[in-house]
Amino acid sequence: MDALDRKILTELQLDGRLTVTELAARVKLSVSPCHRRLRDLEREGAIRGYRAVVDPAAVGLNFEALVFVTLRWEDADTVSAFEEAVAAVPHVLQAQRLFGDPDYLLRVATTDLGAFQQLYDQQLARLPGVQRLNSTLVMKHIVDDRPLPE
């Protein structure tokens, strides 16, 4: 990957709806080579997909929490069962496995505190292998969905 590929990635992170012609103009490349590079970046997995970034509040998800999860055991079966189960919970927007304690960080969005409490009690606390959950509420997003640096 060279500097031109990185510039293509930067421009697409800023506006994923660019046409190839617009993208080529922004990176100062003719259309055919730009299109070829774009397809190579997609094929190689540098570009994992395209999607709309939706404002959670616009769809009624006004409450966000970070949930820290500690597992009872960290054997392969428990980890696999937990990860499969947490991936099936639609209100979990992100799930990251961490080194150290806690074992996981979940970013969760719900309509309100009551919906979060219900999700917490009925789904998150019942995930396979969960020993302890700690949560904190998100007050404000300072940096959100920033493009990767060049």
Side-chain angles (χ1 to χ4, degrees), residues 79-120:
V79 167
S80 179
F82 173 82
E83 290 180 0
E84 186 176 317
V86 80
V89 178
H91 289 277
V92 174
L93 304 180
Q94 294 177 327
Q96 298 166 324
R97 187 170 180 196
L98 308 173
F99 278 108
D101 185 38
D103 299 310
Y104 290 88
L105 170 61
L106 311 179
R107 182 174 155 236
V108 176
T110 63
T111 55
D112 55 29
L113 178 60
F116 174 70
Q117 182 263 317
Q118 187 175 15
L119 176 74
Y120 188 98

Side-chain angles (χ1 to χ4, degrees), residues 2-90:
D2 62 14
L4 198 49
D5 287 337
R6 291 185 189 283
K7 181 67 175 161
I8 290 170
L9 293 175
T10 297
E11 292 298 331
L12 287 174
Q13 287 179 92
L14 295 172
D15 184 356
R17 295 184 68 169
L18 289 173
T19 66
V20 176
T21 302
E22 292 168 329
L23 179 62
R26 289 189 185 190
V27 299
K28 299 178 180 25
L29 196 62
S30 61
V31 173
S32 290
C34 182
H35 189 258
R36 195 167 31 255
R37 283 177 175 264
L38 180 59
R39 293 294 169 238
D40 288 346
L41 290 167
E42 292 169 344
R43 190 180 67 252
E44 294 165 3
I47 297 174
R48 297 188 310 201
Y50 300 88
R51 63 184 178 96
V53 178
V54 178
D55 179 1
V59 294
L61 298 173
N62 298 305
F63 187 89
E64 190 172 323
L66 301 176
V67 180
F68 301 94
V69 182
T70 301
L71 298 181
R72 271 186 192 38
W73 307 281
E74 294 182 51
D75 61 278
D77 290 340
T78 302
V79 167
S80 179
F82 173 82
E83 290 180 0
E84 186 176 317
V86 80
V89 178

